[in-house]
């Protein structure tokens, strides 16, 4: 059990051992992020296990979030841990069946669709910078969000692998901002937080939008709505400290 107090809530990890299908122990590593207004707001949940596939871990996380919604406004972490200990076997069985069905019916529907999460340190020439990012996203047929929350600037993109690569080249080599003396300059303070393939449980963004959020909870909700709670809990809380 590890606990990390934060400005915007508390994160803690719990490891539990569960008897699985063949009576072998599965070690589950659960990461919970409790926002300040928990339990009125859902916790962020991340699930990892060396004995399960990434898809199975995501399925367990989705089921835990479904259970969390049933316990909204009441302390729920203990109940969620008990629930996963009792139902892991069922979730894994169901996950295997769904996976088999998807492979048969719609193999590779998301093949090649990538997702990219970028963090920018600042935008001095904000209006020009935003227009440039919007144009690149449009030209490359990328969807997603340019997100502002306080001093935090994130760019979340979805699209073809080649388009994502092209975007990264443009972002690194074009003079998109101005320096402290007002001269045009390249982006030198960009960090790639995550680059991964879009999974079936991720919602595909239909458009590219620029959005501003007044609180971390609003930003978290944007990620949750898109099925990206794990992405949020892994990469965003450290930026809020």
């Amino acid at each position: 059990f590890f606990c990390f107090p934060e400005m915007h809530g508390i994160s803690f990890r719990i490891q539990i051992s569960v008897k699985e299908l063949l009576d072998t122990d599965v070690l589950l590593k659960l990461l919970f992020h409790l926002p300040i207004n928990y339990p009125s707001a859902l916790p962020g949940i991340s699930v990892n296990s060396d004995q399960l596939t990434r898809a199975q871990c995501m399925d367990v996380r989705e089921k835990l979030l479904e259970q969390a919604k049933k316990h909204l406004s009441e302390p729920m972490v203990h109940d969620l841990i008990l629930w996963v200990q009792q139902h892991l076997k069922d979730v894994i069985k169901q996950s295997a069946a769904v996976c088999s069905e998807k492979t048969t019916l719609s193999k590779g529907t998301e093949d090649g669709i990538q997702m990219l999460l970028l963090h920018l340190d600042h935008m001095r020439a904000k209006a020009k910078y935003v227009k440039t990012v919007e144009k690149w996203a449009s030209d490359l047929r990328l969807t997603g969000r340019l997100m502002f929350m306080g001093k935090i600037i994130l760019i979340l993109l979805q699209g073809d692998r080649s388009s994502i690569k092209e975007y990264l080249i443009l972002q690194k080599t074009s003079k998109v901002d101005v320096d402290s003396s007002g001269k045009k300059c390249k982006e030198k303070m960009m960090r790639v937080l995550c680059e991964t393939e879009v999974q079936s449980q991720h919602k595909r963004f239909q458009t590219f939008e620029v959005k501003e959020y007044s609180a971390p909870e609003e930003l978290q909700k944007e990620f949750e709505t898109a099925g990206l709670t794990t992405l949020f809990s892994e990469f965003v809380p450290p930026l809020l400290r």
Side-chain angles (χ1 to χ4, degrees):
F1 178 98
F2 308 95
C3 185
F4 308 99
E6 297 173 359
M7 284 172 58
H8 302 281
I10 290 175
S11 288
F12 57 90
R13 288 197 184 99
I14 293 175
Q15 293 191 35
I16 57 171
S17 186
V18 186
K19 286 281 185 192
E20 213 263 312
L21 289 172
L22 301 172
D23 290 328
T24 54
D25 286 344
V26 172
L27 188 67
L28 280 184
K29 299 166 190 173
L30 306 174
L31 172 66
F32 292 93
H33 174 71
L34 309 185
I36 289 175
N37 53 347
Y38 169 86
S40 299
L42 291 175
I45 302 173
S46 175
V47 178
N48 285 291
S49 175
D50 294 337
Q51 287 88 23
L52 301 180
T53 65
R54 183 72 178 149
Q56 287 172 328
C57 287
M58 294 298 282
D59 284 337
V60 172
R61 185 187 67 82
E62 291 297 326
K63 294 295 182 186
L64 280 171
L65 282 173
E66 284 176 19
Q67 290 302 311
K69 287 173 186 173
K70 297 176 184 177
H71 293 280
L72 206 56
S73 298
E74 60 187 69
M76 65 186 79
V77 172
H78 181 65
D79 289 327
L80 294 178
I81 292 167
L82 289 177
W83 185 90
V84 79
Q85 286 177 315
Q86 294 166 4
H87 295 90
L88 179 65
K89 201 178 283 191
D90 298 328
V91 176
I92 300 306
K93 277 183 183 174
Q94 193 177 354
S95 175
V98 171
C99 182
S100 171
E101 186 178 307
K102 278 184 181 172
T103 304
T104 308
L105 296 177
S106 55
K107 191 172 182 181
T109 51
E110 299 293 353
D111 272 3
I113 302 300
Q114 293 284 108
M115 181 160 56
L116 182 70
L117 182 62
L118 302 174
H119 174 243
L120 304 182
D121 186 72
H122 61 271
M123 286 184 181
R124 283 198 177 92
K126 183 176 176 180
K128 176 181 174 291
Y129 204 136
V130 169
K131 277 190 176 180
T132 302
V133 171
E134 286 182 309
K135 184 178 187 308
W136 288 343
S138 174
D139 290 348
L140 294 169
R141 294 182 180 177
L142 297 172
T143 61
R145 298 283 185 269
L146 170 52
M147 300 175 278
F148 295 92
M149 204 291 295
K151 291 184 178 181
I152 294 172
I153 306 168
L154 297 171
I155 301 177
L156 181 60
L157 297 169
Q158 292 178 345
D160 292 338
R161 192 188 303 271
S162 58
S163 297
I164 291 284
K165 282 186 178 177
E166 181 66 25
Y167 180 91
L168 275 173
I169 293 169
L170 287 168
Q171 183 80 61
K172 290 174 182 175
T173 60
S174 305
K175 292 184 177 180
V176 286
D177 207 1
V178 296
D179 60 21
S180 55
S181 61
K183 289 182 181 177
K184 290 182 179 180
C185 66
K186 295 176 184 176
E187 178 57 70
K188 295 175 182 175
M189 302 286 283
M190 179 193 78
R191 281 195 303 144
V192 176
L193 297 180
C194 180
E195 187 173 0
T196 183
E197 288 205 3
V198 171
Q199 305 295 323
S200 56
Q201 68 272 12
H202 298 154
K203 178 185 167 189
R204 289 290 306 279
F205 290 108
Q206 299 304 309
T207 58
F208 182 82
E209 295 178 35
V210 180
K211 300 185 82 169
E212 302 216 10
Y213 309 86
S214 57
E217 291 76 20
E218 289 182 17
L219 184 60
Q220 183 175 353
K221 194 170 182 181
E222 181 78 70
F223 277 78
E224 286 176 352
T225 303
L228 300 172
T229 306
T230 301
L231 195 70
F232 179 90
S233 62
E234 284 181 14
F235 297 105
V236 182
L239 304 175
L240 299 171
R241 291 170 191 165

